[in-house]
Coordinates of all heavy atoms in Angstrom, one line a residue:
M461 N -138.6 25.1 14.7 CA -138.0 23.8 14.9 C -137.4 23.7 16.3 O -136.6 24.6 16.7 CB -136.9 23.6 13.8 CG -136.1 22.4 14.0 SD -134.9 22.4 12.6 CE -134.4 20.8 12.7
L462 N -137.7 22.7 17.0 CA -137.2 22.5 18.4 C -135.9 21.6 18.3 O -135.9 20.7 17.5 CB -138.2 21.9 19.3 CG -139.5 22.7 19.5 CD1 -140.5 21.9 20.3 CD2 -139.1 23.9 20.3
I463 N -135.0 22.0 19.2 CA -133.7 21.2 19.2 C -133.8 20.3 20.5 O -134.2 20.8 21.6 CB -132.5 22.1 19.3 CG1 -132.4 22.9 18.1 CG2 -131.2 21.2 19.5 CD1 -131.3 24.0 18.1
S464 N -133.5 19.0 20.3 CA -133.6 18.1 21.5 C -132.6 18.5 22.5 O -131.6 19.2 22.2 CB -133.4 16.7 21.1 OG -132.0 16.5 20.6
K465 N -132.8 18.1 23.8 CA -131.8 18.5 24.9 C -130.4 18.1 24.6 O -129.5 18.9 24.8 CB -132.3 18.0 26.2 CG -133.5 18.8 26.7 CD -133.9 18.4 28.1 CE -135.1 19.3 28.6 NZ -135.4 19.1 30.0
P466 N -130.1 16.9 24.2 CA -128.7 16.5 23.9 C -128.1 17.4 22.8 O -127.0 17.8 22.9 CB -128.8 15.0 23.5 CG -130.0 14.5 24.2 CD -131.0 15.7 24.1
R467 N -128.8 17.7 21.8 CA -128.3 18.5 20.7 C -128.1 19.9 21.1 O -127.2 20.6 20.7 CB -129.2 18.4 19.5 CG -129.1 17.1 18.7 CD -129.9 17.1 17.5 NE -129.8 15.8 16.8 CZ -130.2 15.6 15.7 NH1 -130.8 16.5 14.9 NH2 -130.1 14.4 15.1
H468 N -129.1 20.4 22.0 CA -128.9 21.7 22.6 C -127.7 21.9 23.4 O -127.0 22.9 23.3 CB -130.2 22.0 23.4 CG -130.2 23.5 23.9 ND1 -129.3 24.0 24.8 CD2 -131.1 24.5 23.7 CE1 -129.6 25.2 25.1 NE2 -130.7 25.5 24.4
R469 N -127.4 20.9 24.2 CA -126.1 20.9 25.0 C -124.9 20.9 24.1 O -123.9 21.6 24.4 CB -126.1 19.7 25.9 CG -127.1 19.8 27.0 CD -127.0 18.7 28.0 NE -128.1 18.8 29.0 CZ -128.7 17.7 29.5 NH1 -128.3 16.5 29.2 NH2 -129.7 17.9 30.3
I470 N -124.9 20.1 23.0 CA -123.8 20.1 22.1 C -123.6 21.4 21.4 O -122.5 21.9 21.3 CB -124.0 18.9 21.0 CG1 -123.8 17.6 21.7 CG2 -122.9 19.1 19.9 CD1 -124.2 16.4 20.8
A471 N -124.7 22.0 21.0 CA -124.7 23.4 20.4 C -124.1 24.4 21.4 O -123.3 25.2 21.0 CB -126.0 23.8 19.9
A472 N -124.5 24.3 22.6 CA -124.0 25.2 23.7 C -122.5 25.0 23.9 O -121.8 26.0 24.0 CB -124.8 25.1 25.0
A473 N -122.1 23.8 23.9 CA -120.7 23.5 24.1 C -119.9 24.0 23.0 O -118.8 24.6 23.2 CB -120.5 22.0 24.3
L474 N -120.3 23.8 21.7 CA -119.6 24.4 20.6 C -119.6 25.9 20.6 O -118.5 26.5 20.3 CB -120.3 23.9 19.3 CG -120.1 22.4 19.0 CD1 -120.9 22.0 17.8 CD2 -118.6 22.1 18.7
A475 N -120.7 26.5 21.0 CA -120.7 28.0 21.1 C -119.7 28.5 22.1 O -119.0 29.4 21.8 CB -122.1 28.5 21.4
S476 N -119.6 27.8 23.2 CA -118.6 28.2 24.2 C -117.2 28.0 23.7 O -116.3 28.8 24.0 CB -118.8 27.3 25.5 OG -120.0 27.6 26.1
A477 N -116.9 26.9 23.0 CA -115.6 26.7 22.4 C -115.2 27.7 21.4 O -114.1 28.2 21.4 CB -115.5 25.3 21.8
V478 N -116.2 28.1 20.6 CA -115.9 29.2 19.6 C -115.6 30.5 20.3 O -114.7 31.2 19.9 CB -117.1 29.3 18.6 CG1 -116.9 30.6 17.8 CG2 -117.2 28.1 17.7
L479 N -116.4 30.8 21.3 CA -116.2 32.1 22.1 C -114.8 32.0 22.7 O -114.0 33.0 22.7 CB -117.2 32.3 23.2 CG -117.0 33.5 24.1 CD1 -117.0 34.8 23.3 CD2 -118.1 33.5 25.2
G480 N -114.4 30.9 23.3 CA -113.1 30.8 23.9 C -112.0 31.0 22.9 O -111.0 31.7 23.1
L481 N -112.1 30.4 21.7 CA -111.1 30.6 20.7 C -111.1 32.1 20.2 O -110.0 32.6 19.9 CB -111.4 29.7 19.5 CG -111.1 28.2 19.7 CD1 -111.5 27.4 18.5 CD2 -109.6 28.0 20.0
T482 N -112.2 32.7 20.1 CA -112.3 34.1 19.7 C -111.5 35.0 20.8 O -110.7 35.8 20.4 CB -113.7 34.6 19.7 OG1 -114.4 33.8 18.7 CG2 -113.8 36.0 19.3
L483 N -111.7 34.7 22.0 CA -111.0 35.5 23.1 C -109.5 35.2 23.0 O -108.7 36.2 23.1 CB -111.5 35.1 24.5 CG -112.9 35.5 24.8 CD1 -113.3 34.9 26.2 CD2 -113.1 36.9 24.7
L484 N -109.1 34.0 22.7 CA -107.6 33.7 22.6 C -107.0 34.3 21.4 O -105.8 34.7 21.5 CB -107.4 32.2 22.6 CG -107.8 31.4 23.9 CD1 -107.6 29.9 23.6 CD2 -106.9 31.8 25.0
T485 N -107.7 34.5 20.3 CA -107.1 35.1 19.1 C -106.9 36.6 19.4 O -106.1 37.2 18.6 CB -108.0 34.9 17.9 OG1 -109.2 35.4 18.1 CG2 -108.1 33.4 17.5
G486 N -107.4 37.2 20.4 CA -107.2 38.6 20.7 C -105.9 38.8 21.4 O -105.5 39.9 21.7
C487 N -105.2 37.7 21.7 CA -104.0 37.8 22.5 C -102.7 37.8 21.6 O -102.7 37.2 20.6 CB -103.9 36.6 23.5 SG -105.3 36.6 24.6
S488 N -101.7 38.5 22.1 CA -100.4 38.6 21.4 C -99.4 37.9 22.2 O -99.6 37.2 23.2 CB -100.0 40.0 21.2 OG -99.7 40.6 22.4
D489 N -98.1 38.0 21.8 CA -97.0 37.3 22.4 C -96.8 37.6 23.9 O -96.2 36.9 24.6 CB -95.7 37.5 21.6 CG -95.7 36.9 20.2 OD1 -96.5 36.0 20.0 OD2 -94.9 37.4 19.4
D490 N -97.1 38.9 24.3 CA -97.0 39.3 25.6 C -98.2 39.0 26.5 O -98.3 39.5 27.6 CB -96.7 40.8 25.7 CG -95.4 41.2 24.9 OD1 -94.4 40.6 25.3 OD2 -95.5 42.0 24.0
V491 N -99.0 38.1 26.1 CA -100.3 37.9 26.7 C -100.5 36.4 26.9 O -100.3 35.6 25.9 CB -101.5 38.5 26.0 CG1 -102.8 38.2 26.7 CG2 -101.2 40.0 25.8
S492 N -100.9 35.9 28.1 CA -101.2 34.5 28.3 C -102.7 34.5 28.7 O -103.1 35.1 29.6 CB -100.3 34.0 29.4 OG -100.8 32.7 29.8
C493 N -103.5 33.8 27.9 CA -104.9 33.8 28.0 C -105.5 32.5 28.4 O -105.1 31.4 28.0 CB -105.6 34.3 26.8 SG -105.3 36.0 26.4
G494 N -106.6 32.6 29.3 CA -107.5 31.5 29.5 C -108.8 31.8 28.8 O -108.8 32.7 28.0
L495 N -109.9 31.2 29.2 CA -111.1 31.5 28.6 C -111.7 32.8 28.9 O -112.3 33.5 28.0 CB -112.2 30.4 28.9 CG -111.9 29.0 28.3 CD1 -112.9 28.0 28.8 CD2 -111.9 29.1 26.8
D496 N -111.5 33.3 30.1 CA -112.2 34.6 30.5 C -111.2 35.6 31.1 O -111.6 36.6 31.6 CB -113.3 34.3 31.4 CG -112.9 33.7 32.7 OD1 -111.8 33.3 32.8 OD2 -113.8 33.5 33.6
Q497 N -109.9 35.3 31.1 CA -108.9 36.2 31.7 C -107.6 36.0 31.0 O -107.2 35.0 30.6 CB -108.8 35.8 33.2 CG -107.8 36.7 33.9 CD -107.8 36.4 35.4 OE1 -108.8 36.0 36.0 NE2 -106.7 36.7 36.0
C498 N -106.9 37.2 30.9 CA -105.5 37.2 30.3 C -104.6 37.8 31.3 O -104.9 38.7 32.1 CB -105.5 38.0 29.0 SG -106.4 37.3 27.7
T499 N -103.3 37.3 31.3 CA -102.2 38.0 32.0 C -101.4 38.7 31.0 O -100.8 38.0 30.1 CB -101.4 37.0 32.8 OG1 -102.3 36.3 33.8 CG2 -100.3 37.6 33.6
V500 N -101.2 40.0 31.2 CA -100.4 40.8 30.2 C -99.1 41.1 30.9 O -99.1 41.6 32.0 CB -101.2 42.1 29.9 CG1 -100.4 42.9 28.9 CG2 -102.5 41.8 29.3
T501 N -98.0 40.9 30.2 CA -96.7 41.3 30.7 C -96.2 42.4 29.8 O -96.0 42.2 28.6 CB -95.7 40.1 30.7 OG1 -96.2 39.0 31.4 CG2 -94.4 40.5 31.2
V502 N -96.0 43.6 30.4 CA -95.5 44.7 29.7 C -94.1 45.1 30.2 O -93.9 45.2 31.4 CB -96.5 45.9 30.0 CG1 -95.9 47.2 29.3 CG2 -97.9 45.6 29.5
Q503 N -93.2 45.1 29.3 CA -91.8 45.5 29.7 C -91.8 47.0 30.1 O -92.4 47.8 29.5 CB -90.9 45.3 28.5 CG -90.8 43.9 28.0 CD -90.3 42.9 29.1 OE1 -89.4 43.1 29.8 NE2 -91.1 41.8 29.3
R504 N -91.0 47.2 31.2 CA -90.9 48.6 31.7 C -89.9 49.4 30.8 O -88.8 49.8 31.2 CB -90.4 48.6 33.1 CG -91.5 48.1 34.1 CD -91.0 48.1 35.5 NE -90.9 49.5 36.0 CZ -90.8 49.8 37.2 NH1 -90.7 48.8 38.1 NH2 -90.7 51.0 37.6
E505 N -90.4 49.7 29.6 CA -89.6 50.5 28.7 C -90.5 51.6 28.1 O -91.7 51.4 28.1 CB -88.9 49.7 27.6 CG -90.0 48.9 26.8 CD -89.4 48.0 25.8 OE1 -88.5 47.2 26.2 OE2 -89.8 48.0 24.7
T506 N -89.9 52.6 27.6 CA -90.7 53.7 27.0 C -91.5 53.2 25.9 O -91.1 52.4 25.0 CB -89.8 54.8 26.6 OG1 -89.0 55.2 27.7 CG2 -90.6 56.0 26.1
N507 N -92.8 53.6 25.8 CA -93.7 53.3 24.7 C -94.1 51.8 24.5 O -94.5 51.4 23.5 CB -93.2 53.8 23.4 CG -93.0 55.3 23.4 OD1 -93.9 56.0 24.0 ND2 -92.0 55.8 22.8
A508 N -93.9 51.0 25.6 CA -94.3 49.6 25.5 C -95.8 49.5 25.3 O -96.5 50.3 26.0 CB -93.8 48.8 26.7
K509 N -96.3 48.6 24.5 CA -97.7 48.5 24.3 C -98.1 47.1 24.0 O -97.2 46.3 23.5 CB -98.3 49.5 23.3 CG -97.8 49.2 21.9 CD -98.3 50.3 21.0 CE -97.7 50.1 19.6 NZ -98.2 51.1 18.6
V510 N -99.3 46.7 24.2 CA -99.8 45.3 23.9 C -101.3 45.4 23.6 O -102.0 46.3 24.1 CB -99.5 44.4 25.1 CG1 -100.3 44.8 26.3 CG2 -99.8 43.0 24.7
E511 N -101.7 44.6 22.7 CA -103.2 44.5 22.5 C -103.7 43.2 23.1 O -103.2 42.1 22.9 CB -103.4 44.5 21.0 CG -104.9 44.6 20.7 CD -105.2 44.8 19.2 OE1 -104.5 45.6 18.6 OE2 -106.2 44.1 18.7
V512 N -104.8 43.4 23.9 CA -105.4 42.2 24.5 C -106.9 42.3 24.3 O -107.5 43.4 24.5 CB -105.0 42.1 26.0 CG1 -105.5 43.3 26.8 CG2 -105.6 40.9 26.6
L513 N -107.5 41.2 23.8 CA -109.0 41.1 23.6 C -109.5 42.3 22.8 O -110.6 42.9 23.1 CB -109.7 41.0 24.9 CG -109.2 39.8 25.8 CD1 -109.9 39.8 27.2 CD2 -109.5 38.5 25.1
G514 N -108.7 42.8 21.8 CA -109.1 43.9 21.0 C -108.9 45.3 21.5 O -109.3 46.2 20.9
V515 N -108.3 45.4 22.7 CA -108.1 46.7 23.3 C -106.6 46.9 23.5 O -105.9 46.0 24.0 CB -108.8 46.8 24.7 CG1 -108.5 48.1 25.4 CG2 -110.3 46.7 24.5
E516 N -106.1 48.1 23.1 CA -104.7 48.4 23.2 C -104.4 49.0 24.5 O -105.1 50.0 25.0 CB -104.2 49.3 22.1 CG -102.7 49.6 22.1 CD -102.2 50.4 20.9 OE1 -102.3 51.6 21.0 OE2 -101.8 49.8 19.9
A517 N -103.3 48.5 25.2 CA -102.9 49.1 26.5 C -101.4 49.6 26.3 O -100.6 48.8 25.8 CB -103.0 48.1 27.6
K518 N -101.1 50.8 26.6 CA -99.8 51.4 26.5 C -99.3 51.7 27.9 O -99.9 52.3 28.7 CB -99.8 52.7 25.7 CG -100.2 52.5 24.3 CD -100.3 53.9 23.6 CE -100.8 53.8 22.2 NZ -101.0 55.1 21.5
F519 N -98.0 51.2 28.1 CA -97.4 51.5 29.4 C -96.9 52.9 29.4 O -96.3 53.4 28.5 CB -96.2 50.6 29.6 CG -95.3 50.9 30.8 CD1 -95.7 50.5 32.0 CD2 -94.1 51.5 30.6 CE1 -94.9 50.7 33.1 CE2 -93.3 51.8 31.7 CZ -93.7 51.4 33.0
I520 N -97.2 53.7 30.5 CA -96.8 55.0 30.6 C -95.7 55.2 31.7 O -94.6 55.7 31.4 CB -98.0 56.0 30.9 CG1 -98.9 55.9 29.7 CG2 -97.5 57.4 31.2 CD1 -100.1 56.8 29.7
S521 N -96.0 54.7 32.9 CA -95.0 54.8 34.0 C -95.3 53.8 35.1 O -96.4 53.2 35.1 CB -94.9 56.2 34.6 OG -96.2 56.5 35.2
A522 N -94.3 53.6 36.0 CA -94.5 52.7 37.1 C -93.6 53.1 38.3 O -92.5 53.6 38.0 CB -94.3 51.2 36.7
D523 N -94.1 52.9 39.5 CA -93.2 53.0 40.7 C -93.3 51.6 41.4 O -93.7 50.7 40.7 CB -93.6 54.2 41.6 CG -95.0 54.1 42.1 OD1 -95.5 53.0 42.3 OD2 -95.5 55.2 42.4
D524 N -93.0 51.5 42.6 CA -93.0 50.2 43.3 C -94.3 49.6 43.4 O -94.4 48.3 43.4 CB -92.4 50.4 44.7 CG -90.9 50.7 44.6 OD1 -90.3 50.4 43.6 OD2 -90.4 51.2 45.6
N525 N -95.4 50.3 43.5 CA -96.8 49.8 43.7 C -97.8 50.2 42.7 O -98.9 49.7 42.7 CB -97.3 50.1 45.1 CG -96.4 49.4 46.1 OD1 -96.1 48.2 46.0 ND2 -96.0 50.2 47.2
T526 N -97.5 51.2 41.9 CA -98.5 51.8 41.0 C -98.1 51.8 39.6 O -96.9 52.2 39.3 CB -98.9 53.2 41.5 OG1 -99.3 53.2 42.8 CG2 -100.0 53.8 40.6
V527 N -99.0 51.5 38.6 CA -98.7 51.5 37.2 C -99.7 52.4 36.5 O -100.9 52.4 36.9 CB -98.7 50.1 36.6 CG1 -98.6 50.2 35.1 CG2 -97.7 49.2 37.2
T528 N -99.2 53.3 35.6 CA -100.1 54.1 34.8 C -100.1 53.6 33.4 O -99.0 53.3 32.8 CB -99.7 55.6 34.8 OG1 -99.6 56.0 36.2 CG2 -100.6 56.4 34.1
L529 N -101.3 53.3 32.9 CA -101.5 52.8 31.5 C -102.4 53.7 30.7 O -103.3 54.4 31.3 CB -102.1 51.4 31.5 CG -101.4 50.3 32.3 CD1 -102.3 49.1 32.3 CD2 -100.1 50.0 31.6
D530 N -102.3 53.7 29.4 CA -103.3 54.3 28.5 C -104.0 53.1 27.9 O -103.4 52.3 27.2 CB -102.6 55.2 27.5 CG -103.6 55.8 26.6 OD1 -104.4 55.1 25.9 OD2 -103.6 57.1 26.5
V531 N -105.3 53.0 28.3 CA -106.1 51.9 27.8 C -107.3 52.5 26.9 O -108.1 53.2 27.5 CB -106.7 51.0 28.9 CG1 -107.5 49.9 28.4 CG2 -105.5 50.5 29.8
A532 N -107.3 52.1 25.7 CA -108.4 52.6 24.8 C -108.5 54.1 24.8 O -109.6 54.6 24.8 CB -109.7 51.9 25.1
G533 N -107.4 54.8 24.9 CA -107.4 56.3 24.9 C -107.7 56.9 26.3 O -107.8 58.1 26.4
E534 N -107.8 56.1 27.3 CA -108.1 56.6 28.7 C -106.9 56.2 29.6 O -106.5 55.1 29.6 CB -109.4 55.9 29.2 CG -109.8 56.5 30.5 CD -111.2 55.9 31.0 OE1 -112.0 55.5 30.2 OE2 -111.4 55.8 32.2
Q535 N -106.4 57.2 30.3 CA -105.3 57.0 31.2 C -105.8 56.4 32.6 O -106.8 57.0 33.2 CB -104.5 58.2 31.5 CG -103.1 58.0 31.9 CD -102.3 59.2 31.8 OE1 -102.2 60.0 32.8 NE2 -101.6 59.5 30.7
I536 N -105.3 55.3 33.0 CA -105.7 54.7 34.3 C -104.5 54.4 35.1 O -103.4 54.2 34.6 CB -106.5 53.4 34.1 CG1 -105.7 52.3 33.4 CG2 -107.8 53.6 33.3 CD1 -106.3 50.9 33.4
Q537 N -104.7 54.3 36.5 CA -103.7 54.0 37.4 C -104.1 52.7 38.1 O -105.3 52.6 38.6 CB -103.5 55.1 38.4 CG -102.7 56.2 37.9 CD -102.2 57.1 39.0 OE1 -102.8 57.3 40.0 NE2 -101.0 57.7 38.8
L538 N -103.2 51.7 38.1 CA -103.5 50.5 38.8 C -102.5 50.4 40.0 O -101.3 50.6 39.9 CB -103.2 49.3 37.9 CG -104.0 49.2 36.6 CD1 -103.6 48.1 35.8 CD2 -105.5 49.2 36.9
T539 N -103.0 50.0 41.2 CA -102.2 49.9 42.4 C -102.3 48.5 42.9 O -103.4 47.9 43.0 CB -102.7 50.9 43.5 OG1 -102.7 52.2 43.0 CG2 -101.8 50.8 44.7
K540 N -101.2 47.9 43.2 CA -101.1 46.5 43.6 C -102.0 46.3 44.9 O -101.9 47.1 45.8 CB -99.7 46.1 43.9 CG -99.6 44.6 44.1 CD -98.2 44.1 44.0 CE -98.2 42.6 44.1 NZ -97.2 42.0 44.8
G541 N -102.8 45.3 44.9 CA -103.7 45.0 46.0 C -105.0 45.9 46.1 O -105.8 45.7 46.9
Q542 N -105.1 46.8 45.1 CA -106.4 47.6 45.1 C -107.4 47.0 44.1 O -107.1 46.2 43.3 CB -106.0 49.0 44.7 CG -105.1 49.7 45.7 CD -105.7 49.9 47.1 OE1 -106.9 50.3 47.1 NE2 -105.0 49.6 48.1
Q543 N -108.6 47.6 44.2 CA -109.7 47.2 43.3 C -109.3 47.3 41.8 O -108.6 48.3 41.4 CB -110.9 48.0 43.7 CG -112.2 47.5 43.0 CD -113.4 48.2 43.5 OE1 -113.3 49.1 44.4 NE2 -114.6 47.9 43.1
A544 N -109.9 46.4 41.0 CA -109.7 46.5 39.6 C -110.3 47.7 39.0 O -111.3 48.3 39.5 CB -110.2 45.2 38.9
V545 N -109.8 48.1 37.8 CA -110.4 49.3 37.1 C -111.0 48.8 35.8 O -110.4 48.0 35.1 CB -109.3 50.3 36.8 CG1 -109.8 51.4 35.9 CG2 -108.6 50.8 38.0
E546 N -112.2 49.2 35.5 CA -112.9 48.8 34.3 C -112.8 49.9 33.2 O -113.1 51.1 33.5 CB -114.4 48.6 34.5 CG -115.1 48.0 33.3 CD -116.5 47.6 33.6 OE1 -116.8 47.3 34.8 OE2 -117.3 47.6 32.6
V547 N -112.3 49.5 32.0 CA -112.2 50.5 30.9 C -112.3 49.7 29.6 O -111.8 48.6 29.5 CB -111.0 51.3 31.0 CG1 -109.7 50.5 30.9 CG2 -110.9 52.5 30.0
G548 N -112.9 50.3 28.6 CA -112.9 49.6 27.3 C -113.7 48.3 27.3 O -113.4 47.4 26.5
G549 N -114.6 48.1 28.3 CA -115.3 46.8 28.4 C -114.5 45.7 29.0 O -115.0 44.6 29.1
L550 N -113.3 46.0 29.6 CA -112.5 45.0 30.2 C -112.2 45.5 31.6 O -112.2 46.7 31.9 CB -111.2 44.8 29.5 CG -111.3 44.4 28.0 CD1 -109.9 44.3 27.3 CD2 -112.0 43.0 28.0
T551 N -111.8 44.6 32.5 CA -111.4 44.9 33.9 C -109.9 44.7 34.0 O -109.4 43.6 33.7 CB -112.2 44.0 34.9 OG1 -113.6 44.2 34.7 CG2 -111.8 44.3 36.3
F552 N -109.2 45.6 34.5 CA -107.7 45.6 34.7 C -107.3 45.6 36.1 O -107.9 46.4 36.9 CB -107.1 46.8 34.0 CG -107.2 46.8 32.5 CD1 -108.4 47.2 31.9 CD2 -106.1 46.4 31.7 CE1 -108.5 47.2 30.5 CE2 -106.2 46.4 30.3 CZ -107.4 46.8 29.7
S553 N -106.4 44.8 36.5 CA -105.9 44.8 37.9 C -104.4 44.5 37.8 O -103.9 43.8 37.0 CB -106.6 43.9 38.8 OG -106.4 42.5 38.4
L554 N -103.6 45.1 38.7 CA -102.2 45.0 38.8 C -101.8 43.7 39.6 O -102.2 43.6 40.7 CB -101.5 46.2 39.4 CG -100.0 46.3 39.5 CD1 -99.4 46.1 38.1 CD2 -99.6 47.5 40.2
S555 N -101.1 42.8 38.9 CA -100.6 41.6 39.6 C -99.3 41.8 40.2 O -99.1 41.4 41.4 CB -100.6 40.5 38.5 OG -100.2 39.3 39.1
S556 N -98.3 42.3 39.5 CA -97.0 42.5 40.1 C -96.2 43.6 39.3 O -96.5 43.9 38.1 CB -96.2 41.2 40.0 OG -95.8 40.8 38.7
V557 N -95.2 44.2 40.0 CA -94.3 45.2 39.4 C -92.9 44.7 39.8 O -92.6 44.5 41.0 CB -94.6 46.6 39.9 CG1 -93.6 47.6 39.3 CG2 -96.0 47.0 39.7
T558 N -92.0 44.6 38.8 CA -90.6 44.3 39.0 C -89.8 45.3 38.3 O -90.3 46.1 37.6 CB -90.2 42.9 38.5 OG1 -90.3 42.9 37.1 CG2 -91.2 41.8 39.0
P559 N -88.5 45.3 38.6 CA -87.6 46.3 37.8 C -87.7 46.1 36.3 O -87.4 47.1 35.6 CB -86.2 46.0 38.4 CG -86.5 45.5 39.7 CD -87.7 44.6 39.6
D560 N -88.0 44.9 35.8 CA -88.0 44.6 34.4 C -89.4 44.7 33.7 O -89.5 45.1 32.6 CB -87.4 43.3 34.1 CG -86.0 43.2 34.6 OD1 -85.2 44.2 34.4 OD2 -85.6 42.1 35.1
D561 N -90.4 44.3 34.5 CA -91.7 44.2 33.8 C -92.9 44.4 34.8 O -92.7 44.5 36.0 CB -91.9 42.9 33.0 CG -91.8 41.7 33.9 OD1 -92.3 41.7 35.0 OD2 -91.3 40.7 33.4
V562 N -94.1 44.5 34.2 CA -95.3 44.7 34.9 C -96.3 43.7 34.5 O -96.4 43.4 33.3 CB -95.9 46.1 34.6 CG1 -97.3 46.3 35.2 CG2 -95.0 47.2 35.1
K563 N -97.0 43.0 35.4 CA -97.9 42.0 35.0 C -99.3 42.5 35.4 O -99.5 42.9 36.6 CB -97.6 40.7 35.7 CG -96.4 40.0 35.2 CD -96.3 38.6 35.6 CE -94.9 38.1 35.3 NZ -94.8 37.2 34.3
I564 N -100.2 42.4 34.5 CA -101.6 42.9 34.7 C -102.6 41.8 34.3 O -102.4 41.2 33.3 CB -101.8 44.2 33.8 CG1 -100.8 45.2 34.1 CG2 -103.2 44.7 33.9 CD1 -100.6 46.3 33.1
E565 N -103.6 41.7 35.1 CA -104.7 40.7 34.9 C -105.8 41.5 34.1 O -106.2 42.6 34.6 CB -105.2 40.1 36.2 CG -104.2 39.4 37.0 CD -103.7 38.1 36.3 OE1 -104.5 37.4 35.6 OE2 -102.5 37.8 36.4
V566 N -106.3 40.9 33.0 CA -107.3 41.5 32.3 C -108.4 40.5 32.1 O -108.2 39.4 31.8 CB -106.8 42.0 30.9 CG1 -107.9 42.7 30.1 CG2 -105.6 42.9 31.0
S567 N -109.7 40.9 32.3 CA -110.8 40.0 32.2 C -112.0 40.7 31.6 O -112.1 42.0 31.6 CB -111.2 39.3 33.5 OG -111.6 40.3 34.4
R568 N -112.9 40.0 31.0 CA -114.1 40.5 30.4 C -115.2 40.6 31.5 O -115.3 39.9 32.3 CB -114.6 39.7 29.3 CG -113.8 39.9 28.0 CD -114.6 39.4 26.8 NE -113.8 39.5 25.7 CZ -113.9 40.5 24.8 NH1 -114.9 41.3 24.9 NH2 -113.1 40.5 23.7

């Protein structure tokens, strides 16, 4: 059965909307999500953790420019202004580090 072009476009739009909602449901209170990227805010406290897009990230330590996380069982270091790190099927980059929290950009 062939689908006409207008119906094909509607089906594609609906599929994109469902995918977007699926990505958003993977976010928790410490996460602000768009369709293909989330901003994760992790408090600089011991054992802070957040789940984003089905992957758990645990805060381990931070200094002025570098953050160490445990993501999906793998320890990674993110440095402000440096290239993103891919782990668990997601890409992580450090957005900012303050005395109170750490902001990390996560994308698929």
Side-chain angles (χ1 to χ4, degrees):
M461 172 181 196
L462 295 174
I463 299 175
S464 67
K465 285 189 179 185
R467 287 187 183 188
H468 185 297
R469 288 183 188 148
I470 291 170
L474 287 174
S476 293
V478 169
L479 176 61
L481 288 174
T482 301
L483 294 176
L484 291 175
T485 59
C487 299
S488 71
D489 294 340
D490 297 306
V491 180
S492 171
C493 290
L495 288 178
D496 61 352
Q497 181 174 333
C498 294
T499 300
V500 178
T501 303
V502 178
Q503 299 301 312
R504 288 181 70 166
E505 59 187 46
T506 306
N507 298 324
K509 63 182 174 179
V510 65
E511 186 171 318
V512 61
L513 303 173
V515 176
E516 185 175 83
K518 296 178 186 176
F519 173 77
I520 297 186
S521 66
D523 61 27
D524 292 338
N525 294 313
T526 304
V527 172
T528 303
L529 302 173
D530 181 299
V531 178
E534 185 176 333
Q535 204 169 87
I536 63 170
Q537 284 193 327
L538 303 174
T539 303
K540 191 165 185 214
Q542 296 296 316
Q543 187 172 4
V545 174
E546 187 174 335
V547 65
L550 302 174
T551 303
F552 293 78
S553 61
L554 181 59
S555 179
S556 69
V557 179
T558 69
D560 297 322
D561 59 38
V562 173
K563 290 190 193 255
I564 300 161
E565 299 295 323
V566 183
S567 60
R568 284 197 184 256

